[in-house]
Amino acid sequence: MNMVPPLQCSRMMAQFSLPWRWFLGLVLLLAILLAAVNLTLRLTLPDYLRQRMDDHLRRHAQLAEPSFRSLLATADPRINDLAHDLAARTGLRVTVMDAHGIVLGESGTPPALLPQIESHWTRPEIQQALQAPTGYDLRVSATVNQPLRYAAVAVREGDQLLGFVRVAVSLREIDDTVAHVGRTISGASALVGLLALPVLYIVARRVTGPLAGMQQMAVAMTAGDFSHRAPVIGGPELERLGEALNMMSTQLAGRLRELAAEKTELASVLTGMTEGVLVVGSDNRLRLINRALREQFQLSDEALGKTVREVFRHVALEELLAQPGMRELTFLTPSERTFAVNAAQLPDGAGTVVVFHDITRLKQLENLRKEFVANVSHELRTPLSIIKGYVETLLDSAPPDPATAQQFLRTIQKHAQQLENLIEDLLSISALESQRAKLDYTRLALAELASTLVEELSGRAREKSITVHLAIPPDLPDVRADRERLRQVFINLLDNALKYTQRGGTVTLSARALDDEVECCVADNGPGIAAEHLPRIFERFYRVDKARSRELGGTGLGLSIVKHLVQAHGGRVWAESEVGHGSRFFFTLPIA
Ligand code: ADP
């Protein structure tokens, strides 16, 4: 018979559900038990029965012995009859022999054949009976030709041996008994097995029922479903296990809810951050990029899983990841930007979190500030060194003639004026930039303000024979503006127009109403501004011709102040010009 290897057997068992596996296991156990009982009985019972049979034979031989003693002493011919009689009563074969083993009575042989039976003196049981109380042997009888068990006792009268009484039983009887008992045991085993099957099935279901429920619950939990409850049945141990599982499920569900909430919070914090956040795994691959970083570097989800080198192509960033800390890094793509990048290692070497703080604007402002300081210093130094030079000349050399001294002092005065203009303009700019200049809005009629201004400047216009035209329609709507600031805008523009326009030129101040604003224009027919300078003339200290501007008392800040003031009113400012054909400066103001 082919034996099934244990591994294969357990694989086969695994195909069945848990209750069936338990049931089959219990059936197997019962089968083994019954088989063990059967085997033990079959192995021990024949010996036991033979033992009992030997006792039985011995007792019958011993019982028969006194009956034959007197008959043997006298060699009574009734010995054979008595042997037959005893055999009939006990069902045993009875043989009686004299002291030489000559058979005198034999129940298994007809009396006529008695003399033909050979002497039994050499039979093993007879020889044993001489030494021991009882002699036994097992052999095929020569007389009756079948396997027999013999028991013989010696018959004695005092010390004198009179003969032997021997009883025998056919071995077939013993075998029949053994076979019968065996059949009974097998039948009983089969019956027990059959009766036990339903009981075993019920036991298997009762034991595995709660386990199956727990298994279903565990499977549901792995799928994220925590609504299942484990059955709390099946005895104290299983009940405790069920309760523990239910508690674990509740706690896990709670913990997961907390985790999900934390994750959502973290996600919304990351999304809401203006700083770019990047998480890089220990394998140097991108694991998380927040919205700001996606926008800053125009990244999509495809970047996730790629290496830092593939996505950023920035050696210094890679160095920073290798040695976390804070560094200012400039990236050229998608546009040139500077970031303060802070890299910190995650706990347990899980990777690195990198925060990108965009400082491009800060850097630009810092550069602007540096440039501004340098420009201011330069602008201040020029008139100051001229004043210093003239003063030193006046002090050091012999007193000049009054006309020269007068000329020197005028130059000093002019440059002192230049310094004053510069400082005033700087103060205006500083006030505007620090938002200290709170605008005092009023409703203004532009025509009235413009005519006052033209009146104020008429002296300067006359000096240069410049005609100033005022073209403001009488029905122009009022504007909403700070009178003093607006005056400053007009004065700066008109001052420039008068400054740069040659003698005999024309300056026109006009205005017109648009949808919800008024557009003002200061135009002249002066030298005009070349196209390459136009975009920059509103920058601080930007001049088309530095020397000429200074000569005319300019600071390079006038248009910059105009731009600030107009923007503070919520308006726009721009210039149009063509070299040789004059310039037009426009600005808008909101209608009141
Ligand atoms: P500045 O004090 O030098 O006049 P502004 O900021 O007022 O400084 O003007 C900047 C530059 O724009 C001037 O230096 C000049 O070159 C040019 N500019 C301004 N207004 C006119 C104009 N009406 N005609 C020609 N050029 C002008």
Side-chain angles (χ1 to χ4, degrees):
M1 194 177 79
N2 276 346
M3 287 292 284
V4 183
L7 190 67
Q8 206 176 330
C9 183
S10 66
R11 279 210 196 110
M12 275 165 53
M13 287 288 273
Q15 293 172 358
F16 296 101
S17 66
L18 187 67
W20 278 106
R21 282 209 301 282
W22 264 76
F23 175 64
L24 291 175
L26 288 174
V27 169
L28 190 69
L29 190 68
L30 182 68
I32 291 170
L33 271 175
L34 290 176
V37 169
N38 264 282
L39 193 69
T40 313
L41 283 176
R42 279 170 193 277
L43 286 176
T44 57
L45 198 65
D47 280 352
Y48 173 73
L49 286 176
R50 278 186 197 115
Q51 186 86 40
R52 292 293 308 269
M53 194 57 77
D54 282 356
D55 285 352
H56 182 71
L57 287 174
R58 178 179 53 78
R59 275 200 300 277
H60 275 87
Q62 284 170 347
L63 267 175
E65 187 250 317
S67 312
F68 286 104
R69 191 178 300 143
S70 55
L71 295 178
L72 279 169
T74 55
D76 198 311
R78 285 174 302 169
I79 286 174
N80 194 32
D81 295 339
L82 187 56
H84 276 272
D85 185 31
L86 274 177
R89 287 172 197 269
T90 60
L92 302 171
R93 184 182 156 201
V94 181
T95 311
V96 184
M97 289 145 277
D98 67 6
H100 305 288
I102 305 298
V103 176
L104 300 177
E106 162 64 62
S107 63
T109 311
L113 299 177
L114 211 54
Q116 292 171 14
I117 300 172
E118 58 174 350
S119 167
H120 281 15
W121 177 251
T122 55
R123 298 290 195 266
E125 69 275 13
I126 299 300
Q127 288 302 311
Q128 273 181 37
L130 286 171
Q131 314 294 329
T134 313
Y136 295 99
D137 193 27
L138 175 70
R139 66 173 181 278
V140 177
S141 161
T143 318
V144 293
N145 197 25
Q146 51 171 286
L148 293 177
R149 180 67 173 167
Y150 296 95
V153 293
V155 184
R156 294 178 203 273
E157 186 76 65
D159 286 343
Q160 191 198 346
L161 178 69
L162 296 177
F164 302 93
V165 174
R166 190 185 71 175
V167 291
V169 67
S170 168
L171 264 192
R172 273 198 206 114
E173 270 183 47
I174 297 175
D175 290 344
D176 285 351
T177 310
V178 170
H180 176 70
V181 173
R183 276 196 303 278
T184 311
I185 292 168
S186 301
S189 300
L191 189 65
V192 167
L194 271 178
L195 289 176
L197 281 182
V199 178
L200 292 183
Y201 182 74
I202 291 166
V203 169
R205 282 223 78 95
R206 280 206 60 161
V207 172
T208 59
L211 287 176
M214 289 174 200
Q215 185 207 19
Q216 279 171 8
M217 179 194 181
V219 170
M221 271 164 69
T222 35
D225 177 3
F226 291 90
S227 62
H228 280 249
R229 298 281 92 182
V232 184
I233 49 170
E237 291 85 359
L238 284 175
E239 282 172 17
R240 271 204 297 279
L241 181 61
E243 278 166 4
L245 265 177
N246 287 339
M247 200 182 295
M248 190 178 85
S249 163
T250 314
Q251 285 175 352
L252 254 178
R255 190 81 197 95
L256 279 177
R257 265 197 305 279
E258 279 170 28
L259 274 177
E262 277 172 25
K263 205 177 156 191
T264 317
E265 272 172 33
L266 184 67
S268 46
V269 167
L270 283 175
T271 310
M273 275 175 79
T274 46
E275 285 85 4
V277 178
L278 166 70
V279 177
V280 181
S282 51
D283 54 358
N284 217 20
R285 288 181 185 279
L286 272 59
R287 280 190 9 215
L288 183 146
I289 36 181
N290 77 338
R291 195 173 51 97
L293 194 75
R294 283 167 201 260
E295 283 166 8
Q296 281 160 357
F297 288 91
Q298 294 178 1
L299 300 176
S300 67
D301 273 343
E302 281 174 23
L304 292 171
K306 289 188 179 165
T307 61
V308 173
R309 179 170 303 176
E310 281 171 325
V311 176
F312 292 95
R313 305 218 167 266
H314 201 287
V315 178
L317 179 63
E318 286 183 62
E319 284 170 6
L320 184 66
L321 283 168
Q323 276 191 325
M326 173 83 156
R327 267 171 84 171
E328 264 181 32
L329 302 179
T330 301
F331 292 81
L332 299 176
T333 50
S335 61
E336 186 174 339
R337 303 202 77 80
T338 306
F339 292 92
V341 186
N342 194 359
Q345 233 145 27
L346 289 171
D348 305 329
T352 314
V353 60
V354 191
V355 179
F356 292 72
H357 183 62
D358 190 343
I359 54 166
T360 314
R361 178 95 188 106
L362 273 177
K363 278 267 152 198
Q364 281 169 352
L365 287 175
E366 195 182 310
N367 289 341
L368 275 180
R369 193 183 54 78
K370 280 184 191 159
E371 207 180 306
F372 181 69
V373 171
N375 279 331
V376 168
S377 317
H378 180 71
E379 293 295 331
L380 288 172
R381 196 181 298 128
T382 315
L384 260 180
S385 54
I386 294 171
I387 292 170
K388 207 173 142 206
Y390 279 98
V391 170
E392 277 167 5
T393 314
L394 282 171
L395 288 174
D396 290 352
S397 53
D401 61 273
T404 316
Q406 185 76 8
Q407 193 198 336
F408 279 17
L409 287 172
R410 280 230 177 74
T411 312
I412 290 171
Q413 188 195 29
K414 186 176 146 197
H415 285 96
Q417 181 61 49
Q418 171 78 2
L419 273 179
E420 196 187 335
N421 291 349
L422 189 64
I423 286 162
E424 259 174 32
D425 281 356
L426 283 172
L427 285 174
S428 297
I429 284 211
S430 151
L432 280 168
E433 283 192 343
S434 62
Q435 306 287 315
R436 268 187 281 128
K438 275 250 158 23
L439 298 190
D440 186 9
Y441 285 113
T442 47
R443 192 186 175 99
L444 278 177
L446 268 186
E448 179 255 314
L449 177 70
S451 62
T452 320
L453 280 169
V454 170
E455 186 61 39
E456 277 177 33
L457 292 169
S458 61
R460 280 190 60 198
R462 258 198 308 280
E463 270 174 31
K464 283 184 83 176
S465 312
I466 289 174
T467 317
V468 179
H469 290 295
L470 201 54
I472 296 182
D475 58 345
L476 187 77
D478 288 350
V479 293
R480 182 174 170 269
D482 178 323
R483 187 182 175 88
E484 200 39 51
R485 307 286 176 186
L486 187 56
R487 220 176 85 82
Q488 206 177 342
V489 171
F490 276 118
I491 285 189
N492 279 1
L493 292 176
L494 287 168
D495 183 60
N496 277 352
L498 292 174
K499 230 165 34 182
Y500 297 108
T501 305
Q502 63 280 22
R503 293 187 71 82
T506 314
V507 172
T508 310
L509 202 168
S510 62
R512 63 181 179 134
L514 299 176
D515 288 345
D516 54 353
E517 57 189 5
V518 166
E519 183 193 85
C520 304
C521 175
V522 177
D524 62 59
N525 60 354
I529 303 164
E532 72 261 30
H533 298 295
L534 265 183
R536 300 198 60 190
I537 50 170
F538 290 97
E539 287 176 17
R540 288 184 296 206
F541 298 112
Y542 191 84
R543 290 128 149 172
V544 176
D545 182 343
K546 265 199 172 91
R548 182 160 158 68
S549 159
R550 254 194 223 115
E551 177 61 32
L552 296 169
T555 60
L557 293 171
L559 288 181
S560 157
I561 293 171
V562 166
K563 185 175 126 188
H564 268 294
L565 287 171
V566 170
Q567 285 177 346
H569 279 84
R572 296 165 290 124
V573 62
W574 69 100
E576 291 172 4
S577 180
E578 216 178 301
V579 178
H581 290 92
S583 318
R584 286 177 308 284
F585 288 87
F586 297 91
F587 68 93
T588 60
L589 288 171
I591 286 175

mmCIF file with all atom_site columns, all heavy atoms in Angstrom, residues 415-433:
data_model
loop_
_atom_site.group_PDB
_atom_site.id
_atom_site.type_symbol
_atom_site.label_atom_id
_atom_site.label_alt_id
_atom_site.label_comp_id
_atom_site.label_asym_id
_atom_site.label_entity_id
_atom_site.label_seq_id
_atom_site.pdbx_PDB_ins_code
_atom_site.Cartn_x
_atom_site.Cartn_y
_atom_site.Cartn_z
_atom_site.occupancy
_atom_site.B_iso_or_equiv
_atom_site.pdbx_formal_charge
_atom_site.auth_seq_id
_atom_site.auth_comp_id
_atom_site.auth_asym_id
_atom_site.auth_atom_id
_atom_site.pdbx_PDB_model_num
ATOM 1   N N   . HIS A 1 415 ? 24.802 123.719 -6.519 1.00 0.00 ? 415 HIS A N   1
ATOM 2   C CA  . HIS A 1 415 ? 24.963 122.322 -6.096 1.00 0.00 ? 415 HIS A CA  1
ATOM 3   C C   . HIS A 1 415 ? 24.366 122.055 -4.729 1.00 0.00 ? 415 HIS A C   1
ATOM 4   O O   . HIS A 1 415 ? 23.901 120.941 -4.459 1.00 0.00 ? 415 HIS A O   1
ATOM 5   C CB  . HIS A 1 415 ? 26.439 121.911 -6.173 1.00 0.00 ? 415 HIS A CB  1
ATOM 6   C CG  . HIS A 1 415 ? 26.864 121.700 -7.585 1.00 0.00 ? 415 HIS A CG  1
ATOM 7   N ND1 . HIS A 1 415 ? 27.495 122.687 -8.322 1.00 0.00 ? 415 HIS A ND1 1
ATOM 8   C CD2 . HIS A 1 415 ? 26.699 120.656 -8.434 1.00 0.00 ? 415 HIS A CD2 1
ATOM 9   C CE1 . HIS A 1 415 ? 27.709 122.241 -9.554 1.00 0.00 ? 415 HIS A CE1 1
ATOM 10  N NE2 . HIS A 1 415 ? 27.225 120.996 -9.643 1.00 0.00 ? 415 HIS A NE2 1
ATOM 11  N N   . ALA A 1 416 ? 24.303 123.116 -3.906 1.00 0.00 ? 416 ALA A N   1
ATOM 12  C CA  . ALA A 1 416 ? 23.618 122.959 -2.615 1.00 0.00 ? 416 ALA A CA  1
ATOM 13  C C   . ALA A 1 416 ? 22.135 122.737 -2.884 1.00 0.00 ? 416 ALA A C   1
ATOM 14  O O   . ALA A 1 416 ? 21.483 121.905 -2.246 1.00 0.00 ? 416 ALA A O   1
ATOM 15  C CB  . ALA A 1 416 ? 23.841 124.197 -1.743 1.00 0.00 ? 416 ALA A CB  1
ATOM 16  N N   . GLN A 1 417 ? 21.621 123.494 -3.890 1.00 0.00 ? 417 GLN A N   1
ATOM 17  C CA  . GLN A 1 417 ? 20.218 123.323 -4.288 1.00 0.00 ? 417 GLN A CA  1
ATOM 18  C C   . GLN A 1 417 ? 19.976 121.890 -4.793 1.00 0.00 ? 417 GLN A C   1
ATOM 19  O O   . GLN A 1 417 ? 18.983 121.255 -4.478 1.00 0.00 ? 417 GLN A O   1
ATOM 20  C CB  . GLN A 1 417 ? 19.878 124.349 -5.396 1.00 0.00 ? 417 GLN A CB  1
ATOM 21  C CG  . GLN A 1 417 ? 18.442 124.295 -5.875 1.00 0.00 ? 417 GLN A CG  1
ATOM 22  C CD  . GLN A 1 417 ? 17.464 124.586 -4.746 1.00 0.00 ? 417 GLN A CD  1
ATOM 23  O OE1 . GLN A 1 417 ? 17.617 125.580 -4.012 1.00 0.00 ? 417 GLN A OE1 1
ATOM 24  N NE2 . GLN A 1 417 ? 16.462 123.725 -4.586 1.00 0.00 ? 417 GLN A NE2 1
ATOM 25  N N   . GLN A 1 418 ? 20.966 121.429 -5.600 1.00 0.00 ? 418 GLN A N   1
ATOM 26  C CA  . GLN A 1 418 ? 20.886 120.058 -6.145 1.00 0.00 ? 418 GLN A CA  1
ATOM 27  C C   . GLN A 1 418 ? 20.794 119.040 -5.000 1.00 0.00 ? 418 GLN A C   1
ATOM 28  O O   . GLN A 1 418 ? 19.989 118.116 -5.031 1.00 0.00 ? 418 GLN A O   1
ATOM 29  C CB  . GLN A 1 418 ? 22.136 119.804 -7.014 1.00 0.00 ? 418 GLN A CB  1
ATOM 30  C CG  . GLN A 1 418 ? 22.320 118.379 -7.488 1.00 0.00 ? 418 GLN A CG  1
ATOM 31  C CD  . GLN A 1 418 ? 21.411 118.077 -8.660 1.00 0.00 ? 418 GLN A CD  1
ATOM 32  O OE1 . GLN A 1 418 ? 20.664 118.967 -9.127 1.00 0.00 ? 418 GLN A OE1 1
ATOM 33  N NE2 . GLN A 1 418 ? 21.419 116.834 -9.121 1.00 0.00 ? 418 GLN A NE2 1
ATOM 34  N N   . LEU A 1 419 ? 21.660 119.286 -3.965 1.00 0.00 ? 419 LEU A N   1
ATOM 35  C CA  . LEU A 1 419 ? 21.633 118.393 -2.795 1.00 0.00 ? 419 LEU A CA  1
ATOM 36  C C   . LEU A 1 419 ? 20.274 118.448 -2.109 1.00 0.00 ? 419 LEU A C   1
ATOM 37  O O   . LEU A 1 419 ? 19.709 117.419 -1.733 1.00 0.00 ? 419 LEU A O   1
ATOM 38  C CB  . LEU A 1 419 ? 22.704 118.810 -1.790 1.00 0.00 ? 419 LEU A CB  1
ATOM 39  C CG  . LEU A 1 419 ? 24.104 118.229 -1.972 1.00 0.00 ? 419 LEU A CG  1
ATOM 40  C CD1 . LEU A 1 419 ? 25.037 118.776 -0.906 1.00 0.00 ? 419 LEU A CD1 1
ATOM 41  C CD2 . LEU A 1 419 ? 24.079 116.706 -1.919 1.00 0.00 ? 419 LEU A CD2 1
ATOM 42  N N   . GLU A 1 420 ? 19.740 119.648 -1.992 1.00 0.00 ? 420 GLU A N   1
ATOM 43  C CA  . GLU A 1 420 ? 18.447 119.804 -1.326 1.00 0.00 ? 420 GLU A CA  1
ATOM 44  C C   . GLU A 1 420 ? 17.361 119.071 -2.117 1.00 0.00 ? 420 GLU A C   1
ATOM 45  O O   . GLU A 1 420 ? 16.537 118.345 -1.548 1.00 0.00 ? 420 GLU A O   1
ATOM 46  C CB  . GLU A 1 420 ? 18.108 121.288 -1.210 1.00 0.00 ? 420 GLU A CB  1
ATOM 47  C CG  . GLU A 1 420 ? 16.988 121.519 -0.203 1.00 0.00 ? 420 GLU A CG  1
ATOM 48  C CD  . GLU A 1 420 ? 16.517 122.969 -0.189 1.00 0.00 ? 420 GLU A CD  1
ATOM 49  O OE1 . GLU A 1 420 ? 17.297 123.857 -0.554 1.00 0.00 ? 420 GLU A OE1 1
ATOM 50  O OE2 . GLU A 1 420 ? 15.352 123.177 0.160  1.00 0.00 ? 420 GLU A OE2 1
ATOM 51  N N   . ASN A 1 421 ? 17.385 119.297 -3.473 1.00 0.00 ? 421 ASN A N   1
ATOM 52  C CA  . ASN A 1 421 ? 16.406 118.594 -4.329 1.00 0.00 ? 421 ASN A CA  1
ATOM 53  C C   . ASN A 1 421 ? 16.480 117.086 -4.103 1.00 0.00 ? 421 ASN A C   1
ATOM 54  O O   . ASN A 1 421 ? 15.462 116.404 -3.955 1.00 0.00 ? 421 ASN A O   1
ATOM 55  C CB  . ASN A 1 421 ? 16.696 118.852 -5.817 1.00 0.00 ? 421 ASN A CB  1
ATOM 56  C CG  . ASN A 1 421 ? 16.418 120.284 -6.203 1.00 0.00 ? 421 ASN A CG  1
ATOM 57  O OD1 . ASN A 1 421 ? 15.825 121.029 -5.420 1.00 0.00 ? 421 ASN A OD1 1
ATOM 58  N ND2 . ASN A 1 421 ? 16.866 120.675 -7.397 1.00 0.00 ? 421 ASN A ND2 1
ATOM 59  N N   . LEU A 1 422 ? 17.729 116.612 -4.092 1.00 0.00 ? 422 LEU A N   1
ATOM 60  C CA  . LEU A 1 422 ? 17.950 115.167 -3.952 1.00 0.00 ? 422 LEU A CA  1
ATOM 61  C C   . LEU A 1 422 ? 17.401 114.660 -2.623 1.00 0.00 ? 422 LEU A C   1
ATOM 62  O O   . LEU A 1 422 ? 16.676 113.660 -2.559 1.00 0.00 ? 422 LEU A O   1
ATOM 63  C CB  . LEU A 1 422 ? 19.457 114.897 -4.051 1.00 0.00 ? 422 LEU A CB  1
ATOM 64  C CG  . LEU A 1 422 ? 19.853 113.439 -4.149 1.00 0.00 ? 422 LEU A CG  1
ATOM 65  C CD1 . LEU A 1 422 ? 19.326 112.835 -5.434 1.00 0.00 ? 422 LEU A CD1 1
ATOM 66  C CD2 . LEU A 1 422 ? 21.375 113.305 -4.119 1.00 0.00 ? 422 LEU A CD2 1
ATOM 67  N N   . ILE A 1 423 ? 17.722 115.385 -1.579 1.00 0.00 ? 423 ILE A N   1
ATOM 68  C CA  . ILE A 1 423 ? 17.272 114.941 -0.247 1.00 0.00 ? 423 ILE A CA  1
ATOM 69  C C   . ILE A 1 423 ? 15.753 114.991 -0.169 1.00 0.00 ? 423 ILE A C   1
ATOM 70  O O   . ILE A 1 423 ? 15.111 114.071 0.357  1.00 0.00 ? 423 ILE A O   1
ATOM 71  C CB  . ILE A 1 423 ? 17.951 115.784 0.851  1.00 0.00 ? 423 ILE A CB  1
ATOM 72  C CG1 . ILE A 1 423 ? 19.419 115.321 0.949  1.00 0.00 ? 423 ILE A CG1 1
ATOM 73  C CG2 . ILE A 1 423 ? 17.269 115.601 2.200  1.00 0.00 ? 423 ILE A CG2 1
ATOM 74  C CD1 . ILE A 1 423 ? 20.327 116.271 1.644  1.00 0.00 ? 423 ILE A CD1 1
ATOM 75  N N   . GLU A 1 424 ? 15.154 116.018 -0.746 1.00 0.00 ? 424 GLU A N   1
ATOM 76  C CA  . GLU A 1 424 ? 13.688 116.107 -0.732 1.00 0.00 ? 424 GLU A CA  1
ATOM 77  C C   . GLU A 1 424 ? 13.071 114.931 -1.473 1.00 0.00 ? 424 GLU A C   1
ATOM 78  O O   . GLU A 1 424 ? 12.131 114.292 -1.001 1.00 0.00 ? 424 GLU A O   1
ATOM 79  C CB  . GLU A 1 424 ? 13.242 117.420 -1.386 1.00 0.00 ? 424 GLU A CB  1
ATOM 80  C CG  . GLU A 1 424 ? 12.872 118.441 -0.339 1.00 0.00 ? 424 GLU A CG  1
ATOM 81  C CD  . GLU A 1 424 ? 12.579 119.786 -0.964 1.00 0.00 ? 424 GLU A CD  1
ATOM 82  O OE1 . GLU A 1 424 ? 12.083 119.789 -2.110 1.00 0.00 ? 424 GLU A OE1 1
ATOM 83  O OE2 . GLU A 1 424 ? 12.856 120.808 -0.321 1.00 0.00 ? 424 GLU A OE2 1
ATOM 84  N N   . ASP A 1 425 ? 13.639 114.666 -2.675 1.00 0.00 ? 425 ASP A N   1
ATOM 85  C CA  . ASP A 1 425 ? 13.118 113.537 -3.460 1.00 0.00 ? 425 ASP A CA  1
ATOM 86  C C   . ASP A 1 425 ? 13.293 112.216 -2.705 1.00 0.00 ? 425 ASP A C   1
ATOM 87  O O   . ASP A 1 425 ? 12.407 111.359 -2.687 1.00 0.00 ? 425 ASP A O   1
ATOM 88  C CB  . ASP A 1 425 ? 13.837 113.451 -4.813 1.00 0.00 ? 425 ASP A CB  1
ATOM 89  C CG  . ASP A 1 425 ? 13.273 114.485 -5.793 1.00 0.00 ? 425 ASP A CG  1
ATOM 90  O OD1 . ASP A 1 425 ? 12.309 115.166 -5.402 1.00 0.00 ? 425 ASP A OD1 1
ATOM 91  O OD2 . ASP A 1 425 ? 13.807 114.593 -6.920 1.00 0.00 ? 425 ASP A OD2 1
ATOM 92  N N   . LEU A 1 426 ? 14.457 112.068 -2.054 1.00 0.00 ? 426 LEU A N   1
ATOM 93  C CA  . LEU A 1 426 ? 14.710 110.831 -1.297 1.00 0.00 ? 426 LEU A CA  1
ATOM 94  C C   . LEU A 1 426 ? 13.713 110.691 -0.153 1.00 0.00 ? 426 LEU A C   1
ATOM 95  O O   . LEU A 1 426 ? 13.184 109.598 0.096  1.00 0.00 ? 426 LEU A O   1
ATOM 96  C CB  . LEU A 1 426 ? 16.141 110.829 -0.737 1.00 0.00 ? 426 LEU A CB  1
ATOM 97  C CG  . LEU A 1 426 ? 17.243 110.509 -1.738 1.00 0.00 ? 426 LEU A CG  1
ATOM 98  C CD1 . LEU A 1 426 ? 18.606 110.721 -1.110 1.00 0.00 ? 426 LEU A CD1 1
ATOM 99  C CD2 . LEU A 1 426 ? 17.117 109.063 -2.224 1.00 0.00 ? 426 LEU A CD2 1
ATOM 100 N N   . LEU A 1 427 ? 13.431 111.808 0.508  1.00 0.00 ? 427 LEU A N   1
ATOM 101 C CA  . LEU A 1 427 ? 12.465 111.752 1.615  1.00 0.00 ? 427 LEU A CA  1
ATOM 102 C C   . LEU A 1 427 ? 11.084 111.371 1.092  1.00 0.00 ? 427 LEU A C   1
ATOM 103 O O   . LEU A 1 427 ? 10.369 110.587 1.711  1.00 0.00 ? 427 LEU A O   1
ATOM 104 C CB  . LEU A 1 427 ? 12.415 113.101 2.341  1.00 0.00 ? 427 LEU A CB  1
ATOM 105 C CG  . LEU A 1 427 ? 13.624 113.375 3.248  1.00 0.00 ? 427 LEU A CG  1
ATOM 106 C CD1 . LEU A 1 427 ? 13.559 114.783 3.819  1.00 0.00 ? 427 LEU A CD1 1
ATOM 107 C CD2 . LEU A 1 427 ? 13.694 112.354 4.378  1.00 0.00 ? 427 LEU A CD2 1
ATOM 108 N N   . SER A 1 428 ? 10.728 111.960 -0.077 1.00 0.00 ? 428 SER A N   1
ATOM 109 C CA  . SER A 1 428 ? 9.419  111.622 -0.666 1.00 0.00 ? 428 SER A CA  1
ATOM 110 C C   . SER A 1 428 ? 9.343  110.136 -0.950 1.00 0.00 ? 428 SER A C   1
ATOM 111 O O   . SER A 1 428 ? 8.362  109.458 -0.609 1.00 0.00 ? 428 SER A O   1
ATOM 112 C CB  . SER A 1 428 ? 9.221  112.364 -1.994 1.00 0.00 ? 428 SER A CB  1
ATOM 113 O OG  . SER A 1 428 ? 9.197  113.726 -1.776 1.00 0.00 ? 428 SER A OG  1
ATOM 114 N N   . ILE A 1 429 ? 10.406 109.632 -1.594 1.00 0.00 ? 429 ILE A N   1
ATOM 115 C CA  . ILE A 1 429 ? 10.417 108.203 -1.950 1.00 0.00 ? 429 ILE A CA  1
ATOM 116 C C   . ILE A 1 429 ? 10.346 107.348 -0.698 1.00 0.00 ? 429 ILE A C   1
ATOM 117 O O   . ILE A 1 429 ? 9.571  106.395 -0.614 1.00 0.00 ? 429 ILE A O   1
ATOM 118 C CB  . ILE A 1 429 ? 11.699 107.882 -2.745 1.00 0.00 ? 429 ILE A CB  1
ATOM 119 C CG1 . ILE A 1 429 ? 11.521 108.419 -4.150 1.00 0.00 ? 429 ILE A CG1 1
ATOM 120 C CG2 . ILE A 1 429 ? 12.009 106.394 -2.725 1.00 0.00 ? 429 ILE A CG2 1
ATOM 121 C CD1 . ILE A 1 429 ? 12.219 107.649 -5.219 1.00 0.00 ? 429 ILE A CD1 1
ATOM 122 N N   . SER A 1 430 ? 11.146 107.707 0.293  1.00 0.00 ? 430 SER A N   1
ATOM 123 C CA  . SER A 1 430 ? 11.187 106.915 1.511  1.00 0.00 ? 430 SER A CA  1
ATOM 124 C C   . SER A 1 430 ? 9.806  106.905 2.164  1.00 0.00 ? 430 SER A C   1
ATOM 125 O O   . SER A 1 430 ? 9.327  105.861 2.604  1.00 0.00 ? 430 SER A O   1
ATOM 126 C CB  . SER A 1 430 ? 12.262 107.496 2.425  1.00 0.00 ? 430 SER A CB  1
ATOM 127 O OG  . SER A 1 430 ? 11.940 107.257 3.748  1.00 0.00 ? 430 SER A OG  1
ATOM 128 N N   . ALA A 1 431 ? 9.143  108.076 2.217  1.00 0.00 ? 431 ALA A N   1
ATOM 129 C CA  . ALA A 1 431 ? 7.813  108.149 2.827  1.00 0.00 ? 431 ALA A CA  1
ATOM 130 C C   . ALA A 1 431 ? 6.833  107.288 2.038  1.00 0.00 ? 431 ALA A C   1
ATOM 131 O O   . ALA A 1 431 ? 6.022  106.554 2.610  1.00 0.00 ? 431 ALA A O   1
ATOM 132 C CB  . ALA A 1 431 ? 7.344  109.601 2.850  1.00 0.00 ? 431 ALA A CB  1
ATOM 133 N N   . LEU A 1 432 ? 6.936  107.364 0.704  1.00 0.00 ? 432 LEU A N   1
ATOM 134 C CA  . LEU A 1 432 ? 6.011  106.581 -0.132 1.00 0.00 ? 432 LEU A CA  1
ATOM 135 C C   . LEU A 1 432 ? 6.238  105.087 0.060  1.00 0.00 ? 432 LEU A C   1
ATOM 136 O O   . LEU A 1 432 ? 5.293  104.307 0.183  1.00 0.00 ? 432 LEU A O   1
ATOM 137 C CB  . LEU A 1 432 ? 6.222  106.925 -1.615 1.00 0.00 ? 432 LEU A CB  1
ATOM 138 C CG  . LEU A 1 432 ? 5.571  108.211 -2.070 1.00 0.00 ? 432 LEU A CG  1
ATOM 139 C CD1 . LEU A 1 432 ? 6.094  108.586 -3.448 1.00 0.00 ? 432 LEU A CD1 1
ATOM 140 C CD2 . LEU A 1 432 ? 4.070  108.032 -2.115 1.00 0.00 ? 432 LEU A CD2 1
ATOM 141 N N   . GLU A 1 433 ? 7.514  104.684 0.114  1.00 0.00 ? 433 GLU A N   1
ATOM 142 C CA  . GLU A 1 433 ? 7.811  103.245 0.201  1.00 0.00 ? 433 GLU A CA  1
ATOM 143 C C   . GLU A 1 433 ? 7.460  102.682 1.556  1.00 0.00 ? 433 GLU A C   1
ATOM 144 O O   . GLU A 1 433 ? 7.076  101.530 1.671  1.00 0.00 ? 433 GLU A O   1
ATOM 145 C CB  . GLU A 1 433 ? 9.288  102.999 -0.120 1.00 0.00 ? 433 GLU A CB  1
ATOM 146 C CG  . GLU A 1 433 ? 9.516  103.073 -1.608 1.00 0.00 ? 433 GLU A CG  1
ATOM 147 C CD  . GLU A 1 433 ? 10.850 102.561 -2.042 1.00 0.00 ? 433 GLU A CD  1
ATOM 148 O OE1 . GLU A 1 433 ? 11.737 102.442 -1.193 1.00 0.00 ? 433 GLU A OE1 1
ATOM 149 O OE2 . GLU A 1 433 ? 11.000 102.294 -3.251 1.00 0.00 ? 433 GLU A OE2 1
#
